[in-house]
PDB file of all heavy atoms in Angstrom:
ATOM      1  N   ALA U  48      -6.158  85.660 -11.874  1.00 98.00           N
ATOM      2  CA  ALA U  48      -5.847  86.641 -10.784  1.00 98.00           C
ATOM      3  C   ALA U  48      -5.494  88.003 -11.394  1.00 98.00           C
ATOM      4  O   ALA U  48      -6.040  89.000 -10.960  1.00 98.00           O
ATOM      5  CB  ALA U  48      -4.661  86.171  -9.958  1.00 98.00           C
ATOM      6  N   GLY U  49      -4.627  88.025 -12.415  1.00 96.00           N
ATOM      7  CA  GLY U  49      -4.208  89.288 -12.925  1.00 96.00           C
ATOM      8  C   GLY U  49      -3.999  89.150 -14.435  1.00 96.00           C
ATOM      9  O   GLY U  49      -3.065  88.424 -14.829  1.00 96.00           O
ATOM     10  N   ARG U  50      -4.768  89.889 -15.246  1.00 96.00           N
ATOM     11  CA  ARG U  50      -4.502  89.818 -16.687  1.00 96.00           C
ATOM     12  C   ARG U  50      -3.221  90.538 -17.004  1.00 96.00           C
ATOM     13  O   ARG U  50      -3.104  91.740 -16.603  1.00 96.00           O
ATOM     14  CB  ARG U  50      -5.641  90.476 -17.433  1.00 96.00           C
ATOM     15  CG  ARG U  50      -6.951  89.741 -17.371  1.00 96.00           C
ATOM     16  CD  ARG U  50      -8.041  90.505 -18.180  1.00 96.00           C
ATOM     17  NE  ARG U  50      -8.112  91.867 -17.809  1.00 96.00           N
ATOM     18  CZ  ARG U  50      -9.150  92.449 -17.156  1.00 96.00           C
ATOM     19  NH1 ARG U  50     -10.211  91.797 -16.842  1.00 96.00           N
ATOM     20  NH2 ARG U  50      -9.121  93.753 -16.789  1.00 96.00           N
ATOM     21  N   THR U  51      -2.246  89.865 -17.575  1.00 97.00           N
ATOM     22  CA  THR U  51      -0.962  90.568 -17.898  1.00 97.00           C
ATOM     23  C   THR U  51      -1.012  91.023 -19.352  1.00 97.00           C
ATOM     24  O   THR U  51      -1.620  90.352 -20.233  1.00 97.00           O
ATOM     25  CB  THR U  51       0.169  89.621 -17.647  1.00 97.00           C
ATOM     26  OG1 THR U  51      -0.034  88.376 -18.318  1.00 97.00           O
ATOM     27  CG2 THR U  51       0.411  89.345 -16.184  1.00 97.00           C
ATOM     28  N   ASP U  52      -0.379  92.124 -19.619  1.00 96.00           N
ATOM     29  CA  ASP U  52      -0.281  92.688 -20.992  1.00 96.00           C
ATOM     30  C   ASP U  52       0.679  91.924 -21.856  1.00 96.00           C
ATOM     31  O   ASP U  52       1.515  91.148 -21.315  1.00 96.00           O
ATOM     32  CB  ASP U  52       0.154  94.152 -20.893  1.00 96.00           C
ATOM     33  CG  ASP U  52      -0.939  95.097 -20.457  1.00 96.00           C
ATOM     34  OD1 ASP U  52      -2.124  94.769 -20.675  1.00 96.00           O
ATOM     35  OD2 ASP U  52      -0.641  96.150 -19.919  1.00 96.00           O
ATOM     36  N   ALA U  53       0.671  92.153 -23.127  1.00 97.00           N
ATOM     37  CA  ALA U  53       1.641  91.570 -24.074  1.00 97.00           C
ATOM     38  C   ALA U  53       3.024  91.778 -23.564  1.00 97.00           C
ATOM     39  O   ALA U  53       3.385  92.918 -23.215  1.00 97.00           O
ATOM     40  CB  ALA U  53       1.400  92.143 -25.460  1.00 97.00           C
ATOM     41  N   GLY U  54       3.841  90.742 -23.566  1.00 97.00           N
ATOM     42  CA  GLY U  54       5.207  90.821 -23.226  1.00 97.00           C
ATOM     43  C   GLY U  54       5.522  90.757 -21.768  1.00 97.00           C
ATOM     44  O   GLY U  54       6.666  90.464 -21.369  1.00 97.00           O
ATOM     45  N   VAL U  55       4.515  90.853 -20.901  1.00 98.00           N
ATOM     46  CA  VAL U  55       4.713  90.715 -19.409  1.00 98.00           C
ATOM     47  C   VAL U  55       4.726  89.165 -19.110  1.00 98.00           C
ATOM     48  O   VAL U  55       4.010  88.386 -19.659  1.00 98.00           O
ATOM     49  CB  VAL U  55       3.596  91.440 -18.629  1.00 98.00           C
ATOM     50  CG1 VAL U  55       3.651  91.091 -17.141  1.00 98.00           C
ATOM     51  CG2 VAL U  55       3.602  92.903 -18.943  1.00 98.00           C
ATOM     52  N   HIS U  56       5.634  88.811 -18.152  1.00 98.00           N
ATOM     53  CA  HIS U  56       5.771  87.451 -17.753  1.00 98.00           C
ATOM     54  C   HIS U  56       5.043  87.108 -16.465  1.00 98.00           C
ATOM     55  O   HIS U  56       4.623  88.030 -15.733  1.00 98.00           O
ATOM     56  CB  HIS U  56       7.300  87.145 -17.508  1.00 98.00           C
ATOM     57  CG  HIS U  56       8.185  87.755 -18.546  1.00 98.00           C
ATOM     58  ND1 HIS U  56       8.221  87.293 -19.852  1.00 98.00           N
ATOM     59  CD2 HIS U  56       8.965  88.818 -18.511  1.00 98.00           C
ATOM     60  CE1 HIS U  56       9.036  88.040 -20.566  1.00 98.00           C
ATOM     61  NE2 HIS U  56       9.509  88.964 -19.780  1.00 98.00           N
ATOM     62  N   ALA U  57       4.924  85.856 -16.199  1.00 98.00           N
ATOM     63  CA  ALA U  57       4.362  85.472 -14.864  1.00 98.00           C
ATOM     64  C   ALA U  57       5.163  84.311 -14.302  1.00 98.00           C
ATOM     65  O   ALA U  57       5.498  83.363 -15.089  1.00 98.00           O
ATOM     66  CB  ALA U  57       2.912  85.105 -14.978  1.00 98.00           C
ATOM     67  N   ARG U  58       5.406  84.378 -13.010  1.00 98.00           N
ATOM     68  CA  ARG U  58       5.987  83.250 -12.306  1.00 98.00           C
ATOM     69  C   ARG U  58       4.857  82.456 -11.680  1.00 98.00           C
ATOM     70  O   ARG U  58       4.649  81.269 -11.824  1.00 98.00           O
ATOM     71  CB  ARG U  58       6.961  83.695 -11.256  1.00 98.00           C
ATOM     72  CG  ARG U  58       7.443  82.626 -10.256  1.00 98.00           C
ATOM     73  CD  ARG U  58       8.250  83.254  -9.148  1.00 98.00           C
ATOM     74  NE  ARG U  58       8.523  82.340  -8.052  1.00 98.00           N
ATOM     75  CZ  ARG U  58       7.778  82.279  -6.999  1.00 98.00           C
ATOM     76  NH1 ARG U  58       6.704  83.015  -6.816  1.00 98.00           N
ATOM     77  NH2 ARG U  58       8.105  81.364  -6.013  1.00 98.00           N
ATOM     78  N   GLY U  59       4.017  83.159 -10.894  1.00 98.00           N
ATOM     79  CA  GLY U  59       2.968  82.465 -10.093  1.00 98.00           C
ATOM     80  C   GLY U  59       1.594  83.051 -10.363  1.00 98.00           C
ATOM     81  O   GLY U  59       0.879  83.426  -9.473  1.00 98.00           O
ATOM     82  N   GLN U  60       1.175  83.128 -11.645  1.00 98.00           N
ATOM     83  CA  GLN U  60      -0.158  83.489 -11.982  1.00 98.00           C
ATOM     84  C   GLN U  60      -1.171  82.438 -11.504  1.00 98.00           C
ATOM     85  O   GLN U  60      -0.842  81.264 -11.472  1.00 98.00           O
ATOM     86  CB  GLN U  60      -0.298  83.611 -13.511  1.00 98.00           C
ATOM     87  CG  GLN U  60      -1.605  83.843 -14.133  1.00 98.00           C
ATOM     88  CD  GLN U  60      -2.070  85.277 -13.867  1.00 98.00           C
ATOM     89  OE1 GLN U  60      -2.579  85.604 -12.789  1.00 98.00           O
ATOM     90  NE2 GLN U  60      -1.923  86.176 -14.882  1.00 98.00           N
ATOM     91  N   ILE U  61      -2.370  82.878 -11.054  1.00 98.00           N
ATOM     92  CA  ILE U  61      -3.344  81.930 -10.643  1.00 98.00           C
ATOM     93  C   ILE U  61      -4.560  81.909 -11.586  1.00 98.00           C
ATOM     94  O   ILE U  61      -5.167  82.943 -11.847  1.00 98.00           O
ATOM     95  CB  ILE U  61      -3.901  82.295  -9.220  1.00 98.00           C
ATOM     96  CG1 ILE U  61      -2.661  82.449  -8.217  1.00 98.00           C
ATOM     97  CG2 ILE U  61      -4.863  81.242  -8.686  1.00 98.00           C
ATOM     98  CD1 ILE U  61      -1.859  81.180  -7.955  1.00 98.00           C
ATOM     99  N   VAL U  62      -4.832  80.738 -12.096  1.00 98.00           N
ATOM    100  CA  VAL U  62      -5.943  80.522 -13.035  1.00 98.00           C
ATOM    101  C   VAL U  62      -6.867  79.438 -12.439  1.00 98.00           C
ATOM    102  O   VAL U  62      -6.434  78.351 -12.017  1.00 98.00           O
ATOM    103  CB  VAL U  62      -5.414  80.032 -14.394  1.00 98.00           C
ATOM    104  CG1 VAL U  62      -6.554  79.768 -15.349  1.00 98.00           C
ATOM    105  CG2 VAL U  62      -4.421  81.024 -14.948  1.00 98.00           C
ATOM    106  N   VAL U  63      -8.165  79.758 -12.397  1.00 98.00           N
ATOM    107  CA  VAL U  63      -9.119  78.885 -11.759  1.00 98.00           C
ATOM    108  C   VAL U  63     -10.219  78.424 -12.733  1.00 98.00           C
ATOM    109  O   VAL U  63     -10.658  79.236 -13.551  1.00 98.00           O
ATOM    110  CB  VAL U  63      -9.719  79.603 -10.532  1.00 98.00           C
ATOM    111  CG1 VAL U  63     -10.951  78.814  -9.958  1.00 98.00           C
ATOM    112  CG2 VAL U  63      -8.690  79.831  -9.459  1.00 98.00           C
ATOM    113  N   SER U  64     -10.563  77.153 -12.621  1.00 97.00           N
ATOM    114  CA  SER U  64     -11.677  76.677 -13.415  1.00 97.00           C
ATOM    115  C   SER U  64     -12.344  75.490 -12.739  1.00 97.00           C
ATOM    116  O   SER U  64     -11.784  74.879 -11.836  1.00 97.00           O
ATOM    117  CB  SER U  64     -11.168  76.295 -14.822  1.00 97.00           C
ATOM    118  OG  SER U  64     -10.262  75.236 -14.749  1.00 97.00           O
ATOM    119  N   ASP U  65     -13.553  75.186 -13.186  1.00 97.00           N
ATOM    120  CA  ASP U  65     -14.298  73.977 -12.712  1.00 97.00           C
ATOM    121  C   ASP U  65     -13.990  72.852 -13.640  1.00 97.00           C
ATOM    122  O   ASP U  65     -14.344  72.913 -14.839  1.00 97.00           O
ATOM    123  CB  ASP U  65     -15.809  74.324 -12.687  1.00 97.00           C
ATOM    124  CG  ASP U  65     -16.136  75.399 -11.684  1.00 97.00           C
ATOM    125  OD1 ASP U  65     -15.828  75.197 -10.468  1.00 97.00           O
ATOM    126  OD2 ASP U  65     -16.709  76.451 -12.066  1.00 97.00           O
ATOM    127  N   LEU U  66     -13.263  71.912 -13.149  1.00 95.00           N
ATOM    128  CA  LEU U  66     -12.771  70.817 -14.019  1.00 95.00           C
ATOM    129  C   LEU U  66     -13.509  69.500 -13.742  1.00 95.00           C
ATOM    130  O   LEU U  66     -13.647  69.083 -12.590  1.00 95.00           O
ATOM    131  CB  LEU U  66     -11.306  70.584 -13.843  1.00 95.00           C
ATOM    132  CG  LEU U  66     -10.364  71.708 -14.326  1.00 95.00           C
ATOM    133  CD1 LEU U  66      -8.877  71.252 -14.193  1.00 95.00           C
ATOM    134  CD2 LEU U  66     -10.650  72.008 -15.806  1.00 95.00           C
ATOM    135  N   GLN U  67     -14.030  68.881 -14.842  1.00 91.00           N
ATOM    136  CA  GLN U  67     -14.612  67.577 -14.687  1.00 91.00           C
ATOM    137  C   GLN U  67     -13.651  66.586 -15.317  1.00 91.00           C
ATOM    138  O   GLN U  67     -13.526  66.461 -16.521  1.00 91.00           O
ATOM    139  CB  GLN U  67     -15.944  67.544 -15.574  1.00 91.00           C
ATOM    140  CG  GLN U  67     -16.880  68.663 -15.254  1.00 91.00           C
ATOM    141  CD  GLN U  67     -17.592  68.477 -13.906  1.00 91.00           C
ATOM    142  OE1 GLN U  67     -17.724  67.358 -13.432  1.00 91.00           O
ATOM    143  NE2 GLN U  67     -17.960  69.598 -13.288  1.00 91.00           N
ATOM    144  N   THR U  68     -12.844  66.012 -14.440  1.00 93.00           N
ATOM    145  CA  THR U  68     -11.865  64.986 -14.910  1.00 93.00           C
ATOM    146  C   THR U  68     -11.572  63.976 -13.817  1.00 93.00           C
ATOM    147  O   THR U  68     -11.566  64.337 -12.624  1.00 93.00           O
ATOM    148  CB  THR U  68     -10.561  65.710 -15.405  1.00 93.00           C
ATOM    149  OG1 THR U  68      -9.547  64.729 -15.564  1.00 93.00           O
ATOM    150  CG2 THR U  68     -10.080  66.680 -14.349  1.00 93.00           C
ATOM    151  N   PRO U  69     -11.391  62.762 -14.210  1.00 94.00           N
ATOM    152  CA  PRO U  69     -11.005  61.732 -13.162  1.00 94.00           C
ATOM    153  C   PRO U  69      -9.550  61.835 -12.746  1.00 94.00           C
ATOM    154  O   PRO U  69      -9.155  61.157 -11.777  1.00 94.00           O
ATOM    155  CB  PRO U  69     -11.248  60.379 -13.920  1.00 94.00           C
ATOM    156  CG  PRO U  69     -11.109  60.738 -15.375  1.00 94.00           C
ATOM    157  CD  PRO U  69     -11.497  62.143 -15.567  1.00 94.00           C
TER     158      PRO U  69
END
Side-chain angles (χ1 to χ4, degrees):
Chain U
R50 293 181 306 249
T51 50
D52 283 336
V55 174
H56 319 288
R58 170 187 169 267
Q60 174 72 281
I61 307 296
V62 178
V63 170
S64 62
D65 294 303
L66 290 184
Q67 308 289 333
T68 168

